[in-house]
Amino acid sequence: MRYALPFIGKKAVFPPLGLLTVAAMLPAEAEVSLVDLNVEPLQEAAVAAADLVFISAMIVQKESMAQVVRLCNDLGTPVVAGGPYPTSCHDQIQGVDHFVLNEAEVTLPLFLHDYARGEAKPLYASTERPDLTRTPAPRFDLVRRKDYAEMALQFSRGCPFDCEFCDIIELFGRRPRTKTPAQFLHEMDLLYQQGWRGPLFLVDDNFIGNRREVKALLAELIVWQRQRHHPFSFFTEASLDLASDEPLMDLMAQAGFNMVFLGIETPDLCALQAAGKKQNLKGDMLASIRKIQRKGMEVSGGFIVGFDSDAGDIFERQVRFIQEAGIPTAMVGLLTALPETRLHRRLKAEGRLTGDSGGGNNTHDLRLNFLPKMDPRKLIDGYKRILAEIYHPDRYFERCLKLLKTLQPHRVSRRKLHVMELRAFVRSLVVQTFSRYGWAYWRFLAQGFFARPLMVPETVTLAVKGHHYFKMTRSLLELESFKASLHEWAQTFEARLQTVAAQDFPQRLAELRAFRDRALSQMQARYQRLPRDFRAYADDAVAAFRASLEENLSRFAHEVPVQG
């Protein structure tokens, strides 16, 4: 949400809950500080002064993690690494002194015990699934809450389903483990006492995985919220079969849930069946989404293209489904074979893996790590068409309006109008009115205000999110266009080389050098016009383009006839 956060004066969406929880497990006498790279840079002086640097990362953050590890190595500060990426790929990571893998409730005490004795080992790992009643409350005092748009808490780990492409069940197992309601409410009390008011993200990968425990929590959560005049609103991740449990949806609405992320993946039933996504096959998916929306919970969804059964029409089918479902935030990704998943093991056995996982970084870098059944170029081009279509302002605002007309917010889950929302609205008027989609923006505001006059905060929030999605999509497409132009220039250069005749070699060689210089100049100008966040993802293509020009030109220059 990089381009939406300035509207509300925040630096990041969530604090790093994993590190905050690990910090609470460290010895009470330890002096602990936390650096969130989404909020502030890491200073060399802080690293040099530390006895240990603990770092956690997901696969998508592996380049950033490598930079931090190199800095620590240069300054001689030992590194302790854990989290999803090290747990899955520690054998591929260089420079880390101690890996503390899997769930920290089990492995971190072992490391701390050995470290205190001067006997810390390089690797700590365990397959044990700890009881979450052992998990301490996160150290929220280590972050500046004003930097964040939302706070985060965890109630459970694990998921009962067995989707082929998902690594959650590999990391946390298929038996969802939960904290006690009293334990979770204590963590909420801490946030409340520290002054937090507003959105709270329950980071569980499937909040409803253990329905009995969830319903017990919600019953107490409703009372807690009522006693404090509903200071928090909630959103979380769940499975689509939430729609089959009306009492559960009612409890969530009464507790203050106003959004849920669902792994919808695809409208293709064959792909769902093959991937083991059987929970999505229990009923009509569009009808299920509308049931959840009518309970006052906006549905955001994850979608995937690249399944083996995907036919040429899958891109249009995905767009049509997303539009009909009224899902403004549709996170569409290319299928990725994550380490340690059933998908990864199957593709490896079939000889179809082509590289390491990029963690599904589909916003900046379109790269497959396996050989799909569909032609790879067709798959990536189709994926780009989906993004261009669903995040065209007209189509996005069409979905937003459909959602507004479907939502039936509970009085406790309706978004409140506070100073932050007013600030966002003013900035939205200034920025979006004079954007390239200004007319579409004003048409949506007018239609939204008239259709649902009591849902102005929701309408403004959707508009601001749209600004981010439009900018991200346009930037990605500009990056891909830039890479394509490098390929075309390289082909043109090679074609010119083929036409050089011996009798005019010196003159043509000078012309080719001039062409190279113009191409490099134009390339550099277009590179500078790319959004700053996206330039790094063009660097490999730029380096390959430069090398290709120089290599070909050097080869032909050596063939210039010697003048007698």
Side-chain angles (χ1 to χ4, degrees):
M1 286 296 168
R2 176 183 299 273
Y3 304 116
L5 288 167
F7 285 77
I8 55 175
K10 302 297 181 181
K11 295 181 179 180
V13 180
F14 313 117
L17 184 63
L19 285 176
L20 293 173
T21 305
V22 167
M25 300 177 187
L26 298 177
E29 65 274 14
E31 183 182 341
V32 180
S33 61
L34 185 141
V35 178
D36 177 2
L37 295 180
N38 288 313
V39 169
E40 60 182 320
L42 180 62
Q43 303 294 337
E44 286 191 13
V47 174
D51 297 309
L52 287 173
V53 168
F54 289 77
I55 186 169
S56 177
M58 293 183 287
I59 295 174
V60 75
Q61 298 162 324
K62 61 184 178 182
E63 287 87 2
S64 174
M65 176 175 165
Q67 293 172 8
V68 174
V69 171
R70 282 195 297 270
L71 174 62
C72 294
N73 294 163
D74 291 344
L75 296 175
T77 304
V79 180
V80 183
Y85 170 45
T87 294
S88 298
C89 308
H90 70 274
D91 56 339
Q92 303 171 22
I93 301 172
Q94 304 296 319
V96 170
D97 299 274
H98 309 284
F99 285 103
V100 179
L101 307 180
N102 305 106
E103 297 184 58
E105 290 88 348
V106 178
T107 53
L108 184 59
L110 301 176
F111 165 76
L112 293 173
H113 176 268
D114 290 351
Y115 179 76
R117 296 159 56 95
E119 301 173 354
K121 295 189 282 287
L123 179 67
Y124 294 83
S126 174
T127 58
E128 181 183 343
R129 308 293 188 196
D131 186 336
L132 296 196
T133 59
R134 297 163 53 181
T135 306
R139 288 280 308 274
F140 285 108
D141 59 294
L142 295 176
V143 294
R144 295 185 300 271
R145 290 181 302 282
K146 67 179 182 180
D147 288 338
Y148 299 96
E150 290 138 13
M151 285 290 113
L153 288 176
Q154 182 182 60
F155 177 62
S156 69
R157 290 184 203 154
C159 178
F161 301 113
D162 189 22
C163 304
E164 184 187 43
F165 52 82
C166 182
D167 64 346
I168 295 303
I169 54 176
E170 308 295 339
L171 290 168
F172 298 127
R174 291 187 60 192
R175 185 180 66 82
R177 291 159 287 136
T178 70
K179 297 176 179 177
T180 66
Q183 183 182 6
F184 186 81
L185 293 181
H186 169 67
E187 296 180 8
M188 288 179 52
D189 280 330
L190 292 177
L191 276 175
Y192 182 80
Q193 291 162 10
Q194 292 176 20
W196 179 256
R197 304 291 185 273
L200 191 56
F201 178 37
L202 273 62
V203 304
D204 307 27
D205 294 291
N206 188 352
F207 177 64
I208 65 169
N210 187 329
R211 297 194 187 190
R212 180 174 60 85
E213 295 297 329
V214 166
K215 288 179 178 178
L217 169 68
L218 290 171
E220 297 195 30
L221 194 55
I222 290 168
V223 175
W224 188 95
Q225 285 269 79
R226 187 184 304 130
Q227 290 173 343
R228 294 161 182 79
H229 308 290
H230 307 283
F232 300 149
S233 60
F234 303 99
F235 62 107
T236 191
E237 303 178 45
S239 44
L240 186 58
D241 57 334
L242 167 64
S244 67
D245 194 331
E246 191 144 348
L248 176 55
M249 289 191 289
D250 287 335
L251 287 171
M252 290 176 67
Q254 293 171 42
F257 283 79
N258 58 22
M259 180 184 284
V260 61
F261 176 90
L262 305 176
I264 298 167
E265 321 311 355
T266 177
D268 186 88
L269 303 185
C270 293
L272 292 173
Q273 182 71 38
K277 195 88 182 183
K278 297 177 182 178
Q279 64 271 29
N280 285 16
L281 297 171
K282 294 180 178 179
D284 181 276
M285 289 196 292
L286 280 173
S288 296
I289 291 167
R290 291 192 184 108
K291 283 181 69 174
I292 296 170
Q293 291 169 334
R294 284 196 290 269
K295 291 295 182 180
M297 289 181 280
E298 176 187 341
V299 170
S300 60
F303 297 86
I304 296 174
V305 290
F307 291 113
D308 285 353
S309 62
D310 281 352
D313 65 345
I314 189 59
F315 311 108
E316 290 73 23
R317 291 178 65 190
Q318 287 277 26
V319 170
R320 188 164 58 248
F321 184 94
I322 292 167
Q323 291 300 126
E324 290 179 5
I327 298 177
T329 300
M331 297 176 61
V332 188
L334 292 164
L335 182 65
T336 299
L338 294 170
E340 308 299 328
T341 59
R342 287 199 298 119
L343 175 64
H344 192 277
R345 292 190 286 270
R346 175 171 68 83
L347 293 176
K348 183 177 182 179
E350 295 174 2
R352 294 169 60 190
L353 289 178
T354 59
D356 296 332
S357 166
N361 185 5
N362 300 305
T363 59
H364 290 62
D365 194 22
L366 306 186
R367 199 175 298 179
L368 297 165
N369 73 331
F370 71 102
L371 293 173
K373 291 293 181 71
M374 184 183 293
D375 175 77
R377 189 70 259 167
K378 181 178 179 182
L379 174 57
I380 291 176
D381 287 345
Y383 172 69
K384 289 188 291 187
R385 287 203 310 275
I386 292 177
L387 292 185
E389 182 75 11
I390 65 173
Y391 289 119
H392 184 284
D394 290 341
R395 303 305 299 275
Y396 173 77
F397 287 134
E398 175 188 315
R399 296 198 304 279
C400 291
L401 193 61
K402 183 186 287 280
L403 173 68
L404 289 174
K405 292 178 178 179
T406 306
L407 274 179
Q408 300 294 330
H410 193 280
R411 60 182 179 80
V412 304
S413 63
R414 179 176 284 123
R415 293 181 187 272
K416 310 296 189 298
L417 190 61
H418 298 301
V419 173
M420 188 171 72
E421 284 74 21
L422 291 173
R423 179 193 302 153
F425 187 34
V426 171
R427 186 178 176 96
S428 169
L429 290 174
V430 173
V431 173
Q432 296 184 271
T433 294
F434 299 102
S435 67
R436 64 181 69 190
Y437 59 89
W439 284 111
Y441 164 75
W442 269 104
R443 185 169 59 248
F444 166 66
L445 286 186
Q447 291 174 329
F449 291 168
F450 278 109
R452 303 303 297 273
L454 297 180
M455 293 178 62
V456 171
E458 285 87 351
T459 302
V460 174
T461 297
L462 291 168
V464 169
K465 286 182 178 180
H467 179 73
H468 171 81
Y469 300 143
F470 305 154
K471 194 160 184 176
M472 286 291 291
T473 302
R474 188 169 67 249
S475 297
L476 172 63
L477 297 179
E478 287 174 2
L479 172 64
E480 291 297 302
S481 174
F482 173 73
K483 289 181 180 179
S485 69
L486 295 183
H487 181 67
E488 292 170 4
W489 282 333
Q491 285 185 321
T492 301
F493 189 70
E494 289 182 16
R496 291 197 176 199
L497 289 173
Q498 302 302 322
T499 64
V500 177
Q503 60 269 25
D504 60 0
F505 231 70
Q507 178 183 349
R508 294 304 302 277
L509 186 59
E511 293 174 358
L512 288 169
R513 283 174 173 156
F515 176 85
R516 173 203 60 188
D517 293 342
R518 287 196 305 273
L520 289 174
S521 177
Q522 292 175 21
M523 179 270 295
Q524 187 62 29
R526 284 197 61 179
Y527 178 84
Q528 291 298 326
R529 289 197 297 271
L530 289 174
R532 188 179 302 274
D533 291 344
F534 285 76
R535 290 177 193 167
Y537 294 93
D539 286 347
D540 287 348
V542 166
F545 175 66
R546 288 181 183 274
S548 173
L549 293 187
E550 296 301 333
E551 179 184 346
N552 284 319
L553 192 57
S554 176
R555 176 163 48 86
F556 275 83
H558 283 91
E559 297 175 6
V560 176
V562 178
Q563 300 298 318

